[in-house]
Amino acid sequence: MSRIAYVNGRYRPHRNALIHVEDRGYQFADGVYEVCEVRAAHIVDERRHLARLTRSLAALRIELPMRPKALSIVLHETVRRNRVRDGIVYLQVTRGVARRDHAFPAPGTAPSMVVTARSHDTAKAEHAAAAGIAVITLADNRWARPDIKSVSLLPNVLAKQAAREAGAREAWFIDARGFVTEGASSNAWIVTAAGDVVTRPVDNGILNGISRAVVVDAIAATGLRLIERPFTATEAKAAREAFVTAASQIVQPVVRIDGNPVGDGRPGPLAAALRREFHRHAEFT
Ligand code: PDD
């Protein structure tokens, strides 16, 4: 089946889904994005993703390209046209096409919007979660506003590649004080020896993950204790469990950090339970 992408008002065959060379997303990474999980042909937590999109756009003073209701229709239509049951839907909005100049283009320049969707292999994803992933740590060299979900992802790209080259699946960024901020494309969590679940509080230094919010709700419902505080890589390596959260992975156990096994080196029971419980606390549309 051929893939379809939404590009600025049209549904196009994926291979012809083109953006202009002077799109500011292409030239300046002047845009934002969202990734939502698709499960059983429904979009997971669309409302919260669109709220975060609105916030990111407002922070960069880019107009929402259409009303939220219309945007929701485009998201669902892209999922439908690609016959995605389980996978992701990707949305990107940039400041639009204009003659290259760093400062904002003339008022009224239409933002560009692209939506794509693709399936993933659920059996493979479950298999990966059963095995857990390795992470490496490296210095957080990003700008001071990772809370804005900008498409400007070069440090994340380089970090992820460094992880791959080290045989790991994710990289955890470490701030100047030695604390883990977040992963290159996920939020970071640990479980202490006492059984407390620990994750960094939401501030400008991390993305306010939607999956993170879902897991916070799941923890409350399960009667576990959540402590929102920064933790170091050293503490993480000695933790009972570690895991990451992201729309594309839900809850993914971490079994090695910089080559050191976490706990007994196998996915922990709390991470597994939170992964199982996850969708009971998510919204489906
Ligand atoms: N990444 N932190 C970063 C830097 C991220 O890129 C992401 C998501 C998250 C988790 O956010 P959420 O739970 O809302 O997906 C945290 C997406 C999936 C990506 O870039 O593909």
Side-chain angles (χ1 to χ4, degrees), residues 33 35 52 149 182-187 207 209-211 245-248:
Y33 74 106
V35 178
R52 187 174 64 187
K149 200 160 171 61
E182 61 182 332
S185 64
S186 59
N187 289 115
L207 185 73
I210 306 303
S211 321
T245 54
S248 50

Side-chain angles (χ1 to χ4, degrees), residues 105-109:
T109 302

Side-chain angles (χ1 to χ4, degrees), residues 172 188-192 196-199 229 231 235-236 239 241-243:
W172 279 1
W189 305 69
I190 57 169
V191 180
T192 66
D196 296 331
V197 187
V198 178
T199 196
R229 64 160 173 85
F231 60 86
E235 185 181 4
E241 295 186 32
F243 60 93

Side-chain angles (χ1 to χ4, degrees), residues 5 167 176 194 216 220 268 281:
V216 166
H281 302 278

Side-chain angles (χ1 to χ4, degrees), residues 91-163:
L91 161 73
Q92 178 173 325
V93 178
T94 75
R95 204 181 303 277
V97 176
R99 201 171 78 111
R100 189 175 182 280
D101 178 5
H102 288 65
F104 292 179
T109 302
S112 301
M113 180 170 130
V114 164
V115 180
T116 58
R118 68 167 195 240
S119 302
H120 69 208
D121 183 339
T122 39
K124 215 169 132 189
E126 286 312 314
H127 199 260
I133 61 164
V135 307
I136 60 165
T137 61
L138 36 77
D140 196 338
N141 58 355
R142 300 174 299 164
W143 74 324
R145 294 299 307 277
D147 59 311
I148 300 171
K149 200 160 171 61
S150 154
V151 293
S152 179
L153 289 171
L154 198 47
N156 310 58
V157 166
L158 297 177
K160 193 72 96 172
Q161 181 60 21

